[in-house]
Amino acid sequence: MKVGVLGTGDVGRVLGSGFISRGHEVKIGTRDPGQDKAKAWVAKNGAKASAGTFEETAKFGELIVLATLWEATPTILAMARPESFTGKVVIDATNPLDFSKGIPPRLSIAGDNSAGEEVQRILPAARVVKAFNSIGNAHMVDPKFPGGPPDLFIAGNDEAAKKQVADIAHAFGFPNVVDLGRIEASRYLEALAMVWILEYFRTGNANHAVTMARK
Ligand SMILES: NC(=O)c1ccc[n+]([C@@H]2O[C@H](COP(=O)([O-])OP(=O)(O)OC[C@H]3O[C@@H](n4cnc5c(N)ncnc54)[C@H](OP(=O)(O)O)[C@@H]3O)[C@@H](O)[C@H]2O)c1
């Protein structure tokens, strides 16, 4: 499958490499495909890896990963052109973080709205699935924890899209995918990310994951 990963930050690079390691072809999207991070990622990931503009990447992908700084995301989606996403599954890993009052950050959208819902509104013809937003990038592919892999929480309106994302999650090493419902559940998935983030700023390390205990 051809995967377009919008974003050259840690999340885009880690998930992009995850797709390559599972045999997919990945283009990573950026404002400047000639920039160092994009070039280094392509060099490290071999013949199935390439870089492009946000628009080239969105057009390339049969499936899209959105891994962009939240405050730039509406601009990035406009640059990528909403029509590039028609009918496609979009994995939305973003969190609407506001660092303007220092650290830890706060959610800039909360209550009766979420980044996931905003993305679905900006891309009405896409099938948006919130996923990979409530786990640190170090554990997004082949997560290793003493008690076994953590849960991966997802939400979205399209059942077939969620099934595809769950299959990807299984391939990435998450046997337990927890589907919390429609895209509105992003409100709580983004709040769940804050649980992860608060622990990160409290301890200074990223060796944790939020999961659900079961018996
Ligand atoms: N870091 C984590 O472990 C983690 C975990 C879960 C979820 N998340 C969420 O995942 C998303 C990506 O996080 P990240 O840390 O990988 O990367 P990031 O630094 O939040 O975002 C990097 C991407 O945003 C683009 N960007 C930044 N400012 C821009 C601007 N003014 N105009 C256009 N594009 C701009 C960059 O473009 P260029 O490529 O052109 O530089 C780059 O592709 C965020 O929403 C974050 O909250 C992060």
Side-chain angles (χ1 to χ4, degrees):
M1 176 171 64
K2 288 183 174 171
V3 180
V5 176
L6 300 174
T8 57
D10 291 334
V11 175
R13 298 197 320 276
V14 165
L15 290 177
S17 297
F19 278 103
I20 298 255
S21 71
R22 270 62 178 175
H24 302 288
E25 210 178 319
V26 177
K27 191 182 286 296
I28 199 163
T30 167
R31 285 167 289 189
D32 172 14
Q35 56 123 317
D36 290 348
K37 256 197 265 184
K39 279 203 305 206
W41 182 86
V42 171
K44 190 174 149 202
N45 284 277
K48 287 183 187 294
S50 62
T53 63
F54 289 124
E55 184 179 0
E56 287 164 349
T57 302
K59 290 207 162 106
F60 170 88
E62 295 159 328
L63 176 140
I64 311 290
V65 176
L66 185 59
T68 48
L69 183 72
W70 173 252
E71 63 200 52
T73 297
T75 306
I76 290 168
L77 293 178
M79 290 163 87
R81 297 187 180 275
E83 60 269 25
S84 312
F85 298 83
T86 300
K88 296 180 183 176
V89 173
V90 175
I91 296 178
D92 172 21
T94 66
N95 285 309
L97 301 183
D98 172 7
F99 287 89
S100 66
K101 295 197 167 62
I103 55 169
R106 299 137 55 105
L107 288 175
S108 63
I109 306 176
D112 293 339
N113 196 11
S114 61
E117 287 162 90
E118 290 285 328
V119 170
Q120 183 64 84
R121 270 193 287 276
I122 296 169
L123 306 175
R127 300 184 288 150
V128 178
V129 180
K130 193 90 202 175
F132 292 101
N133 75 299
S134 57
I135 186 159
N137 69 81
H139 309 295
M140 288 180 178
V141 182
D142 297 320
K144 299 268 185 296
F145 286 85
D151 294 333
L152 192 81
F153 297 94
I154 68 170
N157 296 343
D158 187 295
E159 295 301 323
K162 287 195 284 194
K163 166 80 172 63
Q164 190 176 354
V165 173
D167 288 344
I168 289 164
H170 296 326
F172 280 18
F174 293 92
N176 299 321
V177 175
V178 181
D179 176 357
L180 293 179
R182 291 179 62 82
I183 196 67
E184 289 78 10
S186 300
R187 299 167 192 179
Y188 312 108
L189 287 187
E190 291 162 17
L192 204 56
M194 283 303 304
V195 173
W196 191 96
I197 289 165
L198 290 175
E199 178 69 355
Y200 171 74
F201 282 106
R202 193 182 69 81
T203 62
N205 75 58
N207 296 326
H208 55 278
V210 179
T211 195
M212 225 177 235
R214 283 189 190 76
K215 64 174 191 168

